[in-house]
Every structure is written in C-alpha cells, then in structure tokens.
Amino acid sequence: MNFLLEDIIKFRQDLHQIPELGLKEFKTQEYIINTLQSLGYSPKTICGTGVYLYLEGKDKTFCKAFRADMDALSITEGTDCSFKSKNNGFMHACGHDGHMATLLGFAKYLKTLPLYDCSILLIFQPAEEGPGGAKLICESGILELFSVKEIYSFHLFPELEEGVISTKAGPFFAQATEFDCKVIGKGGHGGMPHKTIDPLIPFTKIIDSYQSIISRNISPFNPAVVTVGKITGGTVRNIISDSIEFYGTIRAYSQRDTNDIIKRMSEIHRGVELGFNVKINDEFRVLYPPVINDSNLYNKFLKISNNFNFIQGEPLALAEDFSFYQEKIPGLFFLLGTKNIDKNFTSSLHSSTFNFDEKVLLEGVKLFAKLLEGEK
C-alpha cells in the first residue's frame, strides 16, 4: 500500500482546506469527482452533494459497498498545520477528510486489480453530522439498484493508539436522541418569592428524578445515558426568572430502551407540573438508530484480523448514521486509532486541534482491500 501514501496525503490535505457543512459540500464533491475522473473512472452524483462510483464485477448480483462521509463542522481550526482550513469558522474536526482520502486511495488501489469477483460500490456520503445523509442515500434506492449485500465503513478515533483497528459484533454505537425542555413559571422579585412560581425548584426536581430512570427503569445489562448539557435562565441575581430552558441527549442501544426513557421523562415532567404548578414544554428528536454490527460479517472479519493490529471493541455511547445502512443490509463499522503522543496527535474528535498522521490511512485502505478479498 505504500505506493498510495503520497496521493493519500495530498487528498487529505487538499480536502482539509475546504471543509463544508452537511448538504453543502459542493467544493468537496467537485474535488472527489475530479480526482476519480483523473483515475479513469466515471463517478455519479447522488443526494445533491454526494458521489458514488459503481464498478461491475464478475458477479453482478453481489455487490460490496464502502462508505466515507464528507461533511465538516462549525469549528474554527486551532491547529498550526500548513494545510489548515481556508473556510473560516469551519473545520474537518472529525476526520472525515481522512475518510474520503482513504476511499480515494482505495479507488486508486482498485486500478491495480485485473478483475473483481463481486461488484463494488464506493459511496461518498454527505451530512453524517446532520441531518443524516445515510438515510437519504438509503432512500435513493441505490443499494437495491446495484444489489448491495454488504457495507463497510470506519471512523478515525484518537482514543485508540495509531493504527489499531477495533470493532465488535452486535451493538457498537448508541442511538442518539435530542431533547429540548422549558419549565415555565411566574417571575418576580427575589425578595418576594411568595408572589412568584419559581421554575428553578421544579427544574432541580426534574434533574434529580432523571437519575432514577437509568438506575431503576432500564435493565442493568443495557447501557444507557441521559445527559443535560445546556441550561439557560434568569437575567440578574435578585429576580426570579419566568422560565428555565435545558437541553440534552439520550443514548441507548435499542429502540425499546429509547422509547422507555422518553416515556419516563415525559411522565416526570407531567408529575412536576402538577406538583409545582408550572408548565413544562418538551420536545424529543430521535436521530440515528444504534449501530448494530452484523455477526456474520464480524466472524468473516475475524478470519482476516491477523492482518491488522486488532483489538476487540466495546460499546460506545457515540452515534453514527451508518446505522441507517445497517437497517437495510448487513454492515460492519470499525474504528481506526490515530493517537500518537510523540507527535501530539491526542486531541479528541470535534476538537479544534484534532489532527493525525496520514500514514494511518493506509491501514484503512488495507482494511477495505482485505474485506473485498473476503469470501461472500
């Protein structure tokens, strides 16, 4: 794979300089199309800003798909690298530039193969960070059109040492749900609280009651999380606010657990309304399903895992729209470690200083190549 490294470095550094948000990846799309055309391919557009490349193999009824996400984040870059973002206020802080560079490198690698046993579909997918470009790809009918039977993808991960490959069978990433809530009372002077309905007191009861949902309503064998990450309310120290707003996330590994958590949160809100004479507005948005890795594909991977620095994965309360593909066809999702203390590549995903050594992307190409070689 070393003959690909120079190109992969260029792909990644070029893409890193043109970060764009989901469904607005116009320059990114143009770059991918031009690169694939320069390799002698005829890529097609999909879902507005997406790109796909279909390569027919000996078996037209069996196609393996490989996916890379394209979008960036609304983050001002904090690195001092020579190829930093030229789109001020936006950054590839989640490694999607590396994912695309890997898939482009894989496309170049495929040029060295005389013939493919199965057909191949490369998907450059927009809007993984939101609103869920994988769902749009699935709804386009492309998986059925090309008889896709398996799909693979990976994510760079700075919590793992550089070059380490990790995955597991079954639940891997959680289902993500967002909630927005507002406790509405009656404001007034802090010196005359009896003439107000202070929303702060019922708010604290709500947060306290949430703690019982995971510990007493969800099986101890089913991981789940309820986190309130943002709270707003009040204007000055001696005035009781009319309302308090709070925002958070739910993470679970099954639709049933997500539904149960939402149900209990809603019941807590109704009870607090009665107990404290307040009004509580709540909105829940179920986003991506959980990433459930196919057991058969995982077992096939184990047969080739000695080609990699592989460690068994554990469930993570992160979210990924790759799960939409897995609802339709068997899929396997991996993590590829980027942590390199010597080079100070230790910043977390979605950090303004996230960075990595491009040579690790060769492991991604190698992974895709070995998965392609695997038996049906």
Side-chain angles (χ1 to χ4, degrees):
M1 297 294 173
N2 288 334
F3 77 96
L4 297 172
L5 183 56
E6 184 177 343
D7 285 317
I8 286 177
I9 291 173
K10 183 179 187 305
F11 297 154
R12 185 265 168 146
Q13 294 188 1
D14 287 349
L15 288 163
H16 188 83
Q17 297 176 65
I18 53 170
E20 298 169 293
L21 296 183
L23 303 179
K24 297 180 180 179
E25 307 96 331
F26 300 106
K27 291 183 179 179
T28 305
Q29 180 188 58
E30 181 182 12
Y31 183 90
I32 291 169
I33 290 173
N34 289 341
T35 301
L36 290 173
Q37 288 177 339
S38 73
L39 294 173
Y41 292 119
S42 299
K44 307 293 184 183
T45 62
I46 187 171
C47 298
T49 53
V51 180
Y52 74 87
L53 176 64
Y54 175 69
L55 303 174
E56 187 175 286
K58 288 190 291 185
D59 188 346
K60 301 177 185 178
T61 67
F62 192 98
C63 181
K64 293 185 179 182
F66 301 86
R67 168 268 206 170
D69 35 18
M70 301 167 62
D71 53 329
L73 295 160
S74 299
I75 292 176
T76 299
E77 182 158 0
T79 74
D80 58 359
C81 66
S82 60
F83 52 91
K84 67 188 303 182
S85 171
K86 293 180 179 178
N87 192 0
N88 189 40
F90 302 93
M91 177 190 173
H92 272 297
C94 201
H96 296 186
D97 51 344
H99 303 165
M100 291 183 285
T102 300
L103 201 56
L104 290 172
F106 183 51
K108 183 168 184 177
Y109 164 78
L110 292 175
K111 281 291 183 180
T112 69
L113 303 182
L115 188 62
Y116 321 120
D117 289 333
C118 66
S119 298
I120 302 167
L121 180 65
L122 306 186
I123 302 172
F124 295 85
Q125 175 214 301
E128 187 278 326
E129 299 290 350
K135 187 173 187 292
L136 302 177
I137 297 287
C138 290
E139 291 172 347
S140 75
I142 192 173
L143 303 180
E144 294 82 2
L145 176 65
F146 295 124
S147 300
V148 178
K149 300 297 191 293
E150 302 173 2
I151 187 165
Y152 301 94
S153 188
F154 75 87
H155 204 295
L156 297 177
F157 198 57
E159 306 301 317
L160 292 173
E161 293 298 323
E162 186 178 80
V164 169
I165 295 282
S166 183
T167 190
K168 68 177 292 293
F172 194 24
F173 278 23
Q175 180 167 47
T177 301
E178 296 177 343
F179 60 88
D180 303 343
C181 300
K182 184 175 185 178
V183 184
I184 304 170
K186 179 183 177 183
H189 198 284
M192 296 183 287
H194 58 293
K195 294 187 176 182
T196 72
I197 302 175
D198 188 349
L200 181 61
I201 306 304
F203 165 72
T204 62
K205 299 301 181 184
I206 292 170
I207 300 303
D208 186 51
S209 298
Y210 281 175
Q211 309 312 307
S212 68
I213 297 175
I214 305 302
S215 64
R216 289 298 178 268
N217 300 126
I218 302 298
S219 168
F221 302 103
N222 296 356
V225 173
V226 177
T227 294
V228 174
K230 180 181 178 181
I231 306 165
T232 63
T235 53
V236 295
R237 71 178 69 243
N238 64 336
I239 297 296
I240 292 173
S241 175
D242 285 317
S243 63
I244 288 181
E245 299 178 13
F246 60 98
Y247 310 83
T249 184
I250 302 167
R251 302 295 168 103
Y253 292 87
S254 73
Q255 186 65 60
R256 178 177 178 178
D257 282 348
T258 294
N259 292 341
D260 288 346
I261 292 169
I262 292 174
K263 179 174 179 289
R264 282 298 297 132
M265 290 176 69
S266 298
E267 290 170 346
I268 288 168
H269 297 167
R270 304 294 83 79
V272 170
E273 281 183 327
L274 292 173
F276 291 87
N277 193 27
V278 293
K279 173 65 177 175
I280 300 174
N281 296 333
D282 52 30
E283 179 183 354
F284 298 89
R285 294 182 298 278
V286 180
L287 304 178
Y288 305 159
V291 172
I292 309 293
N293 279 336
D294 183 79
S295 296
N296 290 330
L297 295 187
Y298 175 76
N299 290 333
K300 288 181 182 180
F301 166 74
L302 287 181
K303 295 177 182 179
I304 62 170
S305 61
N306 59 349
N307 292 281
F308 305 96
N309 184 4
F310 169 67
I311 64 171
Q312 173 72 27
E314 297 182 352
L316 296 169
L318 304 176
E320 237 290 348
D321 75 349
F322 185 75
S323 53
F324 286 113
Y325 299 111
Q326 294 175 311
E327 288 189 325
K328 297 182 72 70
I329 57 175
L332 192 58
F333 192 73
F334 298 83
L335 294 174
L336 173 56
T338 61
K339 184 177 181 180
N340 186 324
I341 294 177
D342 293 337
K343 294 187 176 181
N344 199 31
F345 294 150
T346 58
S347 296
S348 63
L349 297 175
H350 290 215
S351 163
S352 65
T353 54
F354 175 71
N355 204 352
F356 58 89
D357 189 331
E358 288 91 357
K359 75 174 184 294
V360 75
L361 302 179
L362 290 176
E363 284 299 302
V365 178
K366 180 181 175 182
L367 175 64
F368 285 168
K370 290 297 182 182
L371 292 169
L372 178 61
E373 293 172 10
E375 297 177 354
K376 294 181 185 178

